[in-house]
Amino acid sequence: MAQTTSSTSITFLVQGQALPVSAATRGGPAATPAGGGFGGRGEVLQKVQLGARRSSANAPVRLVARPGQDAVLLHISNGPSLLLHPETARDLMLAQAGPTSRSGGRAGAASSDVEVPAQLLWQGLEAAGATRGGASRGRLGQALLTGIEIVTGLFTGPAAQLTARKLGERFDAQVDAGVYPLQADGLNAPLKGSGRRIDRLPPAPVGAPVLVLLHGTFSETHGTFGKLWQQHPQKVRDLFDHYSHRVYALDHPTLMASPIDNALMLARALPDGARVHLLTHSRGGLVAEVLARVCAQPDLDLSGLVAFKDPAYKEQVKALRDLADAVRGRDIRVVRVVRVACPARGTLLASKRLDAYVSVLKWSLELAAIPVAPALLDFIGAVASQRTDPALLPGLESMTPNSPLVQWLHSAGVPLPGQLRVVAGDIEGDSVMSWVKTLLADAFYWTDNDLVVQTRSMYGG
C-alpha cells in the first residue's frame, strides 16, 4: 500500500509559538484531537501557532514527523487544512522560492531539517498568472500558514485494515452497487438500504430516451446530486416530465472498481434498444466515456488495447471484452452526455499527491455544504500516514493521466456519435473566499484548474 521512500524522521523548523498538548504521546483519554475538521481523529504530538512575534534570536520550534506513523496537518488562512504524509509536506516546503528553501533548510541546520515559512510562495506563479492574462492571478504570490501539527494514530482500525484493498472496500461499502429508479419528489437520503435497486430498467417506448445519473469519486448519488432536488425542485420536476419519469441513477464503487467495471454494470441493466442520456459528475464522466465508446464500437480494436498490455491490467481488458459482449447486437446507444468537471485526461494531483488530493476534495465538499462521509475522513488519515499508491486502487488509478484507461479513451481517431456537453471550471482567487485557493491549487498543478481537476483535462475524451 505504501510508497514511503524513507523511514528517517523529518524535522520541520517553524518560527512560531509552541502550544501545549495533553497526554498525546501516551494516547490517553485526555489526548488532544487533531483539528482541521477531521472529526477528532488522531492525537496531536506537537503543535505550533505561526504568526506570533518571536525574536530573530529565538531558535525555531522543531517538529519531528515519522513517515509511516505520523502525518503533518497544515492550516492555511481562509483555505483548507491539508493532512499530508511527512514527505509530501517536506516536498511542499522545498518547492518554495529561493535557494535556502530548496536546499532543504536554513544555514546551520541539519541536512534533513526543513524550514517552514509562515508565507508560502511559489517561484514564477505571478509570471504564470500574467501569462494567462488574469490580473487577479498575476498578483497572487503568498498564502498564510497559520498553524502546523504533527498528528499520529489517525487510523484506529486493526493494522490489517491499512492495506489499500481493505481501505477501498471499506469506503466502497457506502453504496449497494446497482441501478435505482429516482423519484421527482425527493432525493433526501443515500440509495443504499432503500430497497429500490433493480436488475434491469423497464423497456421504454421506441426511440424514447432514459436519463441515468452517474456520481463522482468518494461519493454516491445522494451526495453528488441531492442538492439539485433541494435547491431546484421545479427543474427536477420538469426533467422528470421530459423523460416521462424514466430517470435512474447508478450507485457504483469508485475506489476498487474501474470505470470499465461501472460501465459494464450499467450496460447489463439497460434494456435492448435503449437510448441513453447520461448526466455525470467528475469520475462519472469516465464511466460515460467508456460506455459511449463501446456501444458505438462493440467490436474492439485489439491494437487499441495496447495501453493495457501490462499484465496488471488483465482484469480491465477482460471487463472491456465483457462490456463489448454485453452491448453487441442489442442496439444500445448513448445519445447525449453531460459531463461536469470530468477528469477526462486525468488529474495530476491524484497521480502524485493523493493525500493532498483528498484533503482538497474534502474542503471543496465543505465549501459546497455537502456532508463529508466519516469513511472519507478515515481514508484521508490512512493515506496521510501511509502515502498510499493510487495504482493499488483501480478506481483512483484510472483517473491519473498515464493510466491505460485515459490512454485508451484518447486513442480513438474518429469522434463518437451523439451529443456531448462539457461543464468545466477554472476557479479565480477572489471568486469564492480567497485567492489562496488558486495559489494552493496552481502550486500543485501549474495550470488552470477548479481545485480538484485541471480545466483542460475536462475537455478531453
Side-chain angles (χ1 to χ4, degrees), residues 166-365:
K166 290 293 185 180
L167 284 171
E169 290 173 349
R170 179 175 175 173
F171 191 89
D172 284 345
Q174 71 174 325
V175 301
D176 186 4
V179 176
Y180 294 77
L182 300 180
Q183 299 173 348
D185 58 357
L187 182 58
N188 302 317
L191 297 175
K192 180 179 180 179
S194 66
R196 301 207 308 267
R197 190 181 66 170
I198 57 176
D199 293 329
R200 176 162 290 201
L201 278 64
V206 176
V210 299
L211 175 64
V212 181
L213 277 56
L214 300 174
H215 62 78
T217 308
F218 292 110
S219 188
E220 36 77 36
T221 300
H222 169 258
T224 294
F225 297 103
K227 280 202 167 184
L228 182 61
W229 268 252
Q230 295 170 17
Q231 298 183 4
H232 304 283
Q234 185 57 53
K235 293 287 186 183
V236 169
R237 286 191 289 270
D238 292 345
L239 201 63
F240 273 72
D241 288 344
H242 178 78
Y243 287 96
S244 298
H245 290 255
R246 295 184 298 272
V247 181
Y248 304 87
L250 176 70
D251 247 13
H252 56 278
T254 62
L255 297 187
M256 295 309 299
S258 79
I260 302 171
D261 298 318
N262 305 143
L264 174 59
M265 177 179 290
L266 177 56
R268 286 172 170 167
L270 293 172
D272 293 352
R275 299 296 181 261
V276 187
H277 293 185
L278 299 171
L279 173 60
T280 75
H281 177 252
S282 187
R283 175 189 181 279
L286 294 177
V287 180
E289 287 281 330
V290 171
L291 183 65
R293 178 165 180 181
V294 177
C295 285
Q297 303 166 351
D299 295 322
L300 296 176
D301 179 2
L302 295 181
S303 64
L305 300 180
V306 66
F308 298 93
K309 63 182 179 181
D310 190 311
Y313 300 104
K314 63 181 180 180
E315 292 299 322
Q316 293 191 33
V317 173
K318 180 181 183 302
L320 266 178
R321 289 175 171 158
D322 288 346
L323 176 57
D325 291 341
V327 301
R328 188 179 292 112
R330 295 179 57 206
D331 191 28
I332 296 174
R333 303 181 194 178
V334 177
V335 178
R336 183 175 299 172
V337 176
V338 176
R339 288 194 339 226
V340 180
C342 171
R345 294 189 181 274
T347 172
L348 293 171
L349 195 57
S351 63
K352 293 183 178 180
R353 298 183 176 94
L354 185 56
D355 45 0
Y357 171 83
V358 287
S359 289
V360 173
L361 177 62
K362 167 185 169 291
W363 184 55
S364 66
L365 292 174

Side-chain angles (χ1 to χ4, degrees), residues 393-454:
L393 299 166
L396 284 183
E397 192 269 348
S398 65
M399 295 168 57
T400 62
N402 293 325
S403 73
L405 176 65
V406 169
Q407 300 306 310
W408 174 72
L409 287 175
H410 291 86
S411 65
V414 180
L416 300 180
Q419 298 179 353
L420 171 66
R421 297 292 184 267
V422 172
V423 180
D426 171 18
I427 192 167
E428 291 287 347
D430 299 330
S431 65
V432 179
M433 183 186 297
S434 167
W435 47 259
V436 79
K437 299 184 191 67
T438 308
L439 174 61
L440 170 69
D442 280 357
F444 282 118
Y445 297 106
W446 290 100
T447 182
D448 295 346
N449 63 84
D450 77 335
L451 293 182
V452 177
V453 178
Q454 53 265 47

